[in-house]
Amino acid sequence: MPGVIKADIAGATGYAGQELVDLLLRHPNVRINALYSTTDQPRKFSEMFPRFARRTGLLCQKLDAKKITHGESSVVFLALPHTCSMDLVPALLRAGKRVVDLGADYRLKSVPAYEKAYGVPHKDRDNLRQAVYGLPELYRQKIRKAQIVANPGCYPTACVLGLAPLVSLQEFDSVIVDAKSGVSGAGKKAVQDMLFTEVDEDFRAYKVNSHQHMPEIEQELSKLAGRRTQITFVPHLLPVKRGILETIYVGAPVRPSKVLELYRKFYTHEPFIRIREDGSFPSIKDVEGTNFCDIGVKADGSSVIVISAIDNLLKGASGQAVQNMNIMFGFPETMGLM
Amino acid sequence: MPGVIKADIAGATGYAGQELVDLLLRHPNVRINALYSTTDQPRKFSEMFPRFARRTGLLCQKLDAKKITHGESSVVFLALPHTCSMDLVPALLRAGKRVVDLGADYRLKSVPAYEKAYGVPHKDRDNLRQAVYGLPELYRQKIRKAQIVANPGCYPTACVLGLAPLVSLQEFDSVIVDAKSGVSGAGKKAVQDMLFTEVDEDFRAYKVNSHQHMPEIEQELSKLAGRRTQITFVPHLLPVKRGILETIYVGAPVRPSKVLELYRKFYTHEPFIRIREDGSFPSIKDVEGTNFCDIGVKADGSSVIVISAIDNLLKGASGQAVQNMNIMFGFPETMGLM
Amino acid sequence: MPGVIKADIAGATGYAGQELVDLLLRHPNVRINALYSTTDQPRKFSEMFPRFARRTGLLCQKLDAKKITHGESSVVFLALPHTCSMDLVPALLRAGKRVVDLGADYRLKSVPAYEKAYGVPHKDRDNLRQAVYGLPELYRQKIRKAQIVANPGCYPTACVLGLAPLVSLQEFDSVIVDAKSGVSGAGKKAVQDMLFTEVDEDFRAYKVNSHQHMPEIEQELSKLAGRRTQITFVPHLLPVKRGILETIYVGAPVRPSKVLELYRKFYTHEPFIRIREDGSFPSIKDVEGTNFCDIGVKADGSSVIVISAIDNLLKGASGQAVQNMNIMFGFPETMGLM
Amino acid sequence: MPGVIKADIAGATGYAGQELVDLLLRHPNVRINALYSTTDQPRKFSEMFPRFARRTGLLCQKLDAKKITHGESSVVFLALPHTCSMDLVPALLRAGKRVVDLGADYRLKSVPAYEKAYGVPHKDRDNLRQAVYGLPELYRQKIRKAQIVANPGCYPTACVLGLAPLVSLQEFDSVIVDAKSGVSGAGKKAVQDMLFTEVDEDFRAYKVNSHQHMPEIEQELSKLAGRRTQITFVPHLLPVKRGILETIYVGAPVRPSKVLELYRKFYTHEPFIRIREDGSFPSIKDVEGTNFCDIGVKADGSSVIVISAIDNLLKGASGQAVQNMNIMFGFPETMGLM
């Protein structure tokens, strides 16, 4: 096992960024080298977030492409708004950094799909080709050697992990994903719709069958199924701070007594996947604060109900990013995550 | 229009009961005659619930079958735990009272279905036959003359109203109901699972495809479709006090441009149904504190997504009960509800 | 009693404004003439807030000083950000309108106190002099004839009502007000600090002993006490949407057995003040959605604890504004508020 | 530093118990030997609480005095309802165990005070005498050698730490503690008042100036002040799961410019006390999930406002218990807590 490495975080003040700081501070083999933010002025990180007082004295600096490129870190985490990563990645890779990108820029292999979903041209097709989709349970070998890992979206993580055993191994037709997410999924930007007064005691669907994570999910399910796969996808906003729970309805002729076995076998050696007992389903609090994806399944012979839960800021973002880093640098996969 | 009537409420201290007291206090043509509770000792209602101070000085009495049967009220509302109503109803009807039952005892026409869902024998088959299912939008004429009205369950209200135009008028195959309810749906009983500490910041499915409201929904959809109809039904517990939102997925070949028209026509004259504009969907707060059922729809040619929202304590319970009473006694249907 | 009057609301889309629309729609003697907003484009009010669908078809217009001044309303409610009212009031009064201002511009009689608290010069000293502080329980006679009423702040309403019997009739020394408010007190502006993710599961003090409502409270207590009175005031932000609860500690030699009597006598005929029984104290939910101020008191001989609760959007804003309007126009004081 | 020790937890299924399991699982020098519960049947802990799956396979057993007394653990944590500990402690101490009691039985040195506050006779006066009050910042030396440590109550921890510098070193007169606690402070028992529907969107005071933690606070302040000290204490219930924030008002002639220095000096070497900068005050989220006590102070020459925040389940219960254990067994005080 290699020694201690240095890490930079760009976008350290967002919700995923703060979690990443928290995780890396506790990681025995990582030392945080520098923290960067796009919006905030240089300031001690622990002053911006008093809960970090006594834990880090690091300064959070204004994001500076040159500084981060020529810094001494081996790994750079990008937790930036969509479309920002592709401005930084080319230089970082040329400088020999390894990158874990928590944004969306390197997830979709199809440039038109990206441009349709995010409404901007893609500026870095070269590196897009070599980027590895960072879902360790499916692509561990490639992640090991990747120079750039595209950390999956939060909804796709819960969905693809929840469906992988089925779509890889079974006939299936329709896939309906009824997804519910906590508010931190929307980021820390001041938006009226996300005010406490607008969210508390409310529940609503949004981007009904038109969310930008749909093509990402469909890309991954299509790869697993070996054929073009489309889904119905309705995300909803939960009045909770963190966590995603997806209830997934699949038309598939799976024998009720076999479905658990199918899932258990598929994920036998996975440290972060927990399949629930028969008749038991996960709730958000079972995974809150952890890097686990908990999955419950129930089949009736012609269809399967899958319930998949993650912490959107951990397995759905920063926890998975650290898991990817562990794989890339040869650390035990669960290091700093248990 | 007839004059003022007197009303009794049995089960006045539960969440639905309190709402009913609140509604009837404001109803211009009703005077509350007596309040009864099964669990609490005789006490001034406004002492039990200080928010009613200055609004009612009524005593809440221990439920007493004789007293309520021989009292002077024309209408009796039963907001009691399941299986309690059938002990009271026969005597009430014999005494000439008209009854609105907010419990489940008179909703399912099939006795075996009732006994399976609620785990007890049905004791009042005679009156079950004459009971009218109290969904005014579908059964207004029968409600007018009914002596006993079975007020629908909260989940079925949102679901059946959300699906009625489709299943009455269209071919359809699968129906999947992903339902989310606020905690008041579970009642006021002290249960560990419903503690603030267990519910807040959490979200979970429960009774996956096995909830007691399923046969009720299937009974109503079957009537509307003219054929036996089964559904997939997964209820979830939301960390909100009140409100239900159901996201419903129907396999149905409806032209995208026609679906809104279908819904608008079906509900043209309904005072409590509001169909949302194209691309807009209801949220819980749109209906909170009201007797409305708000519905949004979206079709893609082979399937339809319906989102239906109600306040579970009003359109899903006490508001609908008052709406039924208004119909039964010849009052304007919206009286006391706007 | 006079007939129906017409009313305009400037600032109809904020939280207090929406409540005001809701109250006036239900008021038997008021017809809403026009709704204005400073920030939003002209649009049907019920499209902006779907919960108003079927209840009002009114357009919400861009605020226009001329239009509102020359409109046909007898009363204009101003629910605008601080410092906006004084730009409108002079013309409105010249045009013979009667004004209820929910903002802060006409509450502080001392211009230097105003300028210190709100950081801007006062532009309308003439009308400031004639403005009546709209706390009906203390100034009912003056409100009756007022052309402009300064509706009190939310914290001052709970505090002054909670202390009036004591400070008017008793010796007292120190007054400490530990105040807690729901988030709607901060308005509807998109501010990072008020995001759901920042507020939920948190609780914090803010503007410790430096809140702009302090001079307003001190002005009123000084008037009641007949001497300059200062307080200690620490407001806190509660993770609830609405409601204020203040726990007030007063050094005052009141006999424990006499304190309730003192309060009850002082408020004997007040329709919106409810004094709790001995040993009982109000909670926010007792007053939520009402125009009541509930007060509980406990004395130990040398000091008194007062707990005062209101709904900040009703008795602390729009409910009190309607109560003031009722007084101004000779309607029963509780009309539309019970 | 000694090697790994074994620990038992009695009361492992309550909220404090679960936190303790979580902390000890991560503690490098502790191995959990056995988990006991008074109410639940023997069952795998990770089945009772799925979030512990993959982390512990331990069985949670029915509490058995003999088993725990003759077990092989060196330390026993008692996280039991009040009055249960004194039934177990005598035997445990005779068997040579060291005990950290999270309950109230050994906190009050005055037996009459205990009996008045908890309404039962004290059964173990012998061990009460030798029990050490487990506030490490004040009694570290005694804790080191204690056989039984009485872990402080949650309110007293925040209050005594918030006041210790003042009351030890300054003249002061009145002390008013306005305390606010999250719901987990009430434990996991099914109680109607603690249902989500009763707590959410509400805020209320309870046990106004009569809470059982008052004598505990007064005992500790009196020791520090060297004279009998009484307080005014009003606890309130916050709609949050965890956390305590206390706003404390002290009559004390401290110079505004000196007060921070006073606090910083007093707590110079304390790893878990963080004094906020001038003008800054802690919020609950700053300490949530940590063992810190964050304190902000402001003086005006004649009085001081202190705001003190802790996580009631950590510094207010299980975190402090582990801190005490670390001291007792010669481990670094912050081990397993950072």
Side-chain angles (χ1 to χ4, degrees), chain A residues 48-221:
Chain A
M48 304 170 79
F49 306 104
R51 67 191 175 92
F52 284 97
R54 293 271 172 100
R55 299 192 53 220
T56 177
L58 277 172
L59 201 70
C60 184
Q61 313 171 54
K62 182 91 186 153
L63 181 57
D64 176 330
K66 275 202 186 139
K67 224 166 170 178
I68 196 168
T69 305
H70 300 105
E72 39 181 31
S73 285
S74 324
V75 62
V76 175
F77 293 93
L78 303 177
L80 298 166
H82 299 324
T83 79
C84 297
S85 295
M86 51 189 176
D87 287 332
L88 289 169
V89 162
L92 290 171
L93 297 191
R94 274 196 306 272
K97 310 286 184 203
R98 299 180 82 179
V99 172
V100 180
D101 179 22
L102 286 82
D105 294 357
Y106 296 89
R107 293 177 192 155
L108 292 175
K109 288 300 177 188
S110 154
V111 168
Y114 176 86
E115 299 186 338
K116 192 179 163 207
Y118 295 94
V120 290
H122 201 290
K123 304 186 208 163
D124 186 25
R125 300 181 182 210
D126 287 352
N127 293 315
L128 178 57
R129 264 187 292 275
Q130 59 151 310
V132 175
Y133 191 73
L135 202 53
E137 289 75 10
L138 299 179
Y139 304 113
R140 192 169 279 120
Q141 298 315 323
K142 288 185 177 173
I143 292 165
R144 208 179 300 279
K145 289 168 282 179
Q147 212 191 337
I148 169 159
V149 166
N151 214 54
C154 50
Y155 283 129
T157 295
C159 183
V160 176
L161 290 174
L163 287 173
L166 267 188
V167 299
S168 317
L169 304 170
Q170 290 290 326
E171 295 298 301
F172 68 94
D173 43 52
S174 64
V175 173
I176 292 169
V177 181
D178 194 281
K180 301 91 175 173
S181 172
V183 185
S184 57
K188 218 181 66 173
K189 230 179 92 186
V191 174
Q192 205 172 64
D193 268 6
M194 299 300 154
L195 290 176
F196 182 86
T197 33
E198 297 296 316
V199 173
D200 199 46
E201 292 291 310
D202 194 24
F203 180 69
R204 55 182 192 252
Y206 66 102
K207 298 187 184 173
V208 172
N209 226 12
S210 62
H211 191 279
Q212 67 274 13
H213 282 174
M214 277 179 75
E216 185 181 336
I217 297 171
E218 291 176 343
Q219 162 183 295
E220 293 304 310
L221 297 184

Side-chain angles (χ1 to χ4, degrees), chain A residues 25 38 118 130 159 175 190 195 200 217 225 246 255 261 268 290 307 311 324:
Chain A
L25 284 174
T38 51
Y118 295 94
Q130 59 151 310
C159 183
V175 173
L195 290 176
D200 199 46
I217 297 171
E246 301 182 3
R255 274 165 54 194
E261 196 187 316
T268 312
T290 80
I307 298 185
D311 185 321
N324 279 317

Side-chain angles (χ1 to χ4, degrees), chain A residues 15 181-184 187 189 191-202 204 237-242, chain B residues 200-201 239-240, chain C residues 183 191-202 204 239-241, chain D residues 200-201 285:
Chain A
Y15 292 127
S181 172
V183 185
S184 57
K189 230 179 92 186
V191 174
Q192 205 172 64
D193 268 6
M194 299 300 154
L195 290 176
F196 182 86
T197 33
E198 297 296 316
V199 173
D200 199 46
E201 292 291 310
D202 194 24
R204 55 182 192 252
L237 185 72
L238 279 175
V240 306
K241 290 165 80 164
R242 54 201 293 172
Chain B
D200 199 46
E201 292 289 313
V240 308
Chain C
V183 185
V191 173
Q192 205 173 62
D193 266 7
M194 299 299 155
L195 290 176
F196 182 86
T197 33
E198 297 296 316
V199 172
D200 200 46
E201 293 289 312
D202 194 24
R204 55 180 191 252
V240 307
K241 290 164 81 163
Chain D
D200 199 46
E201 292 290 312
K285 76 168 161 237

Side-chain angles (χ1 to χ4, degrees), chain D residues 87-267:
Chain D
D87 287 333
L88 289 168
V89 162
L92 289 171
L93 298 191
R94 276 195 305 273
K97 309 287 184 202
R98 298 180 81 180
V99 172
V100 179
D101 179 22
L102 286 83
D105 293 358
Y106 296 88
R107 292 177 194 155
L108 291 176
K109 288 301 177 189
S110 154
V111 169
Y114 176 86
E115 299 186 340
K116 192 179 163 208
Y118 295 94
V120 291
H122 201 289
K123 303 186 209 162
D124 185 24
R125 301 180 182 211
D126 287 352
N127 293 314
L128 178 57
R129 264 187 294 275
Q130 60 152 309
V132 174
Y133 191 73
L135 201 54
E137 289 75 10
L138 300 179
Y139 305 111
R140 192 169 279 120
Q141 298 316 323
K142 288 184 179 174
I143 293 165
R144 208 179 299 280
K145 291 167 280 178
Q147 211 190 340
I148 170 161
V149 166
N151 214 53
C154 50
Y155 284 128
T157 295
C159 184
V160 176
L161 290 174
L163 287 174
L166 267 188
V167 298
S168 316
L169 305 170
Q170 289 288 326
E171 296 299 301
F172 68 96
D173 43 52
S174 64
V175 173
I176 292 169
V177 182
D178 194 281
K180 301 91 175 174
S181 172
V183 185
S184 57
K188 218 181 68 173
K189 230 180 91 188
V191 173
Q192 205 173 63
D193 267 6
M194 300 299 155
L195 289 176
F196 182 86
T197 33
E198 297 295 317
V199 172
D200 199 46
E201 292 290 312
D202 194 24
F203 180 70
R204 54 181 192 253
Y206 66 102
K207 298 187 183 173
V208 172
N209 225 12
S210 62
H211 191 279
Q212 68 274 12
H213 281 173
M214 277 179 76
E216 185 181 335
I217 297 171
E218 291 176 342
Q219 163 183 294
E220 293 304 310
L221 297 184
S222 298
K223 270 195 278 178
L224 291 167
R227 63 171 171 87
R228 180 156 160 61
T229 300
Q230 283 183 298
I231 64 168
T232 296
F233 182 71
V234 181
H236 302 75
L237 185 72
L238 279 174
V240 307
K241 291 165 81 164
R242 55 200 293 172
I244 280 179
L245 188 140
E246 299 183 5
T247 310
I248 310 176
Y249 305 88
V250 189
V254 184
R255 274 168 52 197
S257 60
K258 292 288 178 200
V259 69
L260 265 179
E261 195 187 317
L262 177 77
Y263 272 74
R264 286 203 186 115
K265 235 183 207 166
F266 193 90
Y267 287 128

